[in-house]
Amino acid sequence: MDTKDVAVLKLNDTTEVSVHLHGATIISWKCKAQEVLFVSKNALFDNKKAIRGGIPLVFPCFGPWEKGPQHGFARIKRWRKESESKQNNGRASMSFSLEDDEETRKMWDYRFKLVYNVDLGENDLKLTLTVNNNDFKAFDFTTLMHTYFRCPDIADVGIHGLEGLQYNDKVEGGKISKEERKVVSIDKNYDRVYMKCGADKVEVEGLGDGKKSVSLVLSNLPDVVVWNPWEDKAKAMSDFGDEEYKTMICVEAGSVSQSVTAPAGGSVLFTQTLKLC
Ligand code: TA6
């Protein structure tokens, strides 16, 4: 049942997804009766600040941005719900859109329409972001799905599929290193951009009730950001509990290490499918 701020899509008693119109932020994904996503108990839902958790959308700029807010404006603008449908293949979907307006054009003078499709299956959630360039000039951007996963204990989380990849370590001042581990575990502040990830290689274990894994199947999203604020940075965030770093991990699919060009009048599609196993 939708409210004025949140659209809810229910497939059955154990499968549903909720999308807050502030940023078209997915704030809940229940799969096999388990909540898969993390939302901070201190998250603000004031339709101003980005929601601390779920899957905020980053566009047109990942990270600090000289033209506007960090991670761009998409996650802090109000999106419009465009459609909802149940397919006869046992899936259901909703779509949302965001178009340029005076506020966005003051920061970033381009005409665009973002269309976000949220497609729910019994065991997976398929997210497709289409960036439409409605302008007479091309524009460059970076984009990312800033997914916060819930876990009972960060000590039991392992991230597979990163072995051998180069990563930009933002904790180490942007130093480029190579991941040697088969399974990446988290025991401190991590803020890394793993580059040229495989389309279907990354899997995160230790999620949900701790016994679940989520695999990421990606299209046109070559980078995976791994972030956990750890103790000191957790304390420094007012919309994040001091101890909550122990029960979350961000594994974020994006196109951020290199910018993407949308040609005038053209469109670029990005897809991430999260599969619970
Ligand atoms: O997820 C990586 C990151 O860029 C981190 O550097 C950290 O800043 C995080 O995003 C959260 O950013 P936010 O603007 O939501 O506080």
Side-chain angles (χ1 to χ4, degrees):
M1 180 63 189
D2 290 5
T3 67
K4 78 174 178 59
D5 286 333
V6 180
V8 180
L9 184 64
K10 198 175 167 69
L11 200 61
N12 54 46
D13 289 347
T14 61
T15 315
E16 68 178 65
V17 64
S18 299
V19 181
H20 201 293
L21 295 181
H22 184 59
T25 308
I26 296 175
I27 54 173
S28 172
W29 170 35
K30 290 189 179 68
C31 183
K32 298 177 187 169
Q34 292 204 19
E35 177 56 67
V36 183
L37 302 178
F38 165 89
V39 175
S40 172
K41 61 184 171 42
N42 298 344
L44 293 181
F45 293 89
D46 60 3
N47 288 312
K48 292 191 188 84
K49 188 169 171 50
I51 294 168
R52 179 67 66 195
I55 310 180
L57 288 173
V58 170
F59 177 91
C61 179
F62 173 75
W65 189 31
E66 73 284 350
K67 295 179 179 172
Q70 162 147 296
H71 290 333
F73 46 64
R75 65 176 185 165
I76 54 174
K77 290 290 286 182
R78 188 154 180 102
W79 290 54
R80 181 186 304 126
K81 180 177 175 182
E82 296 275 2
S83 69
E84 178 174 331
S85 67
K86 291 219 172 191
Q87 290 98 31
N88 53 21
N89 60 358
R91 298 183 71 88
S93 65
M94 295 190 286
S95 69
F96 303 85
S97 68
L98 177 71
E99 294 193 67
D100 62 279
D101 62 15
E102 196 178 330
E103 185 186 36
T104 65
R105 288 193 297 272
K106 273 200 191 114
M107 290 181 261
W108 193 65
D109 190 15
Y110 295 102
R111 297 193 179 292
F112 66 87
K113 179 173 184 178
L114 305 183
V115 178
Y116 188 37
N117 198 60
V118 177
D119 183 301
L120 183 64
E122 189 87 31
N123 304 310
D124 71 277
L125 182 64
K126 181 177 180 182
L127 307 174
T128 303
L129 179 67
T130 304
V131 176
N132 298 295
N133 179 342
N134 294 337
D135 214 308
F136 297 105
K137 49 191 187 292
F139 57 64
D140 294 340
F141 64 96
T142 51
T143 190
L144 171 128
M145 297 178 186
H146 199 297
T147 310
Y148 290 72
F149 290 109
R150 183 174 75 90
C151 63
D153 185 347
I154 188 67
D156 299 331
V157 167
I159 307 170
H160 300 249
L162 301 175
E163 185 183 12
L165 298 180
Q166 290 213 312
Y167 62 90
N168 177 325
D169 191 338
K170 288 162 64 179
V171 174
E172 298 293 337
K175 183 182 160 201
I176 303 294
S177 301
K178 183 178 174 184
E179 183 55 68
E180 304 294 350
R181 293 171 291 176
K182 188 168 168 40
V183 184
V184 172
S185 54
I186 308 292
D187 57 0
K188 58 184 177 183
N189 174 205
Y190 266 61
D191 196 351
R192 299 180 176 187
V193 181
Y194 286 88
M195 296 174 276
K196 294 192 174 64
C197 300
D200 60 356
K201 298 284 184 273
V202 178
E203 182 166 324
V204 189
E205 66 184 2
L207 300 181
D209 62 5
K211 303 182 186 70
K212 291 285 183 274
S213 296
V214 173
S215 63
L216 283 64
V217 179
L218 309 173
S219 169
N220 209 20
L221 295 167
D223 303 311
V224 168
V225 175
V226 175
W227 178 60
N228 185 298
W230 215 248
E231 190 170 359
D232 293 345
K233 287 185 164 54
K235 286 192 177 116
M237 291 190 284
S238 59
D239 61 346
F240 191 88
D242 290 357
E243 300 293 310
E244 285 187 318
Y245 68 93
K246 296 174 183 171
T247 57
M248 57 73 69
I249 181 66
C250 277
V251 181
E252 316 158 15
S255 187
V256 299
S257 51
Q258 289 180 339
S259 65
V260 181
T261 298
S267 299
V268 190
L269 266 73
F270 306 90
T271 301
Q272 169 178 230
T273 301
L274 302 174
K275 292 184 178 180
L276 187 72
C277 33

